[in-house]
Amino acid sequence: MKKKILIVLANYYKSISSNLVKSAKQELKNNYNVKVITVPGVFEIPVTISKNITKYNGFIALGCVIKGQ
């Protein structure tokens, strides 16, 4: 049975995040059952993981924070 992996994707910077999730899925390929949940920003990532902690075997948190002026 394949292990279940949840990718939590902060989608604030869509051009960056789409490449991050594409690379993660490619790396996992067919070895895992992968689900992606999109959240609006990086602060929602830990909340989403904690809500799903018993449902998945592993988690990948993807997001981008760019420091402004």
Side-chain angles (χ1 to χ4, degrees):
M1 186 166 128
K2 292 183 181 181
K3 292 191 177 193
K4 296 185 334 182
I5 302 294
L6 177 64
I7 297 175
V8 183
L9 175 67
N11 203 22
Y12 190 79
Y13 296 103
K14 293 179 195 266
S15 61
I16 295 170
S17 61
S18 64
N19 288 328
L20 290 171
V21 76
K22 180 180 172 185
S23 295
K25 283 181 169 182
Q26 184 179 9
E27 195 66 34
L28 295 171
K29 297 195 180 181
N30 296 323
N31 298 328
Y32 300 94
N33 287 333
V34 178
K35 180 177 179 182
V36 178
I37 293 180
T38 302
V39 294
V42 295
F43 294 114
E44 290 82 11
I45 291 174
V47 174
T48 304
I49 290 174
S50 67
K51 287 181 179 180
N52 291 283
I53 200 77
T54 59
K55 299 175 186 173
Y56 293 89
N57 301 104
F59 301 89
I60 298 174
L62 298 175
C64 177
V65 177
I66 297 176
K67 182 180 176 184
Q69 295 186 26

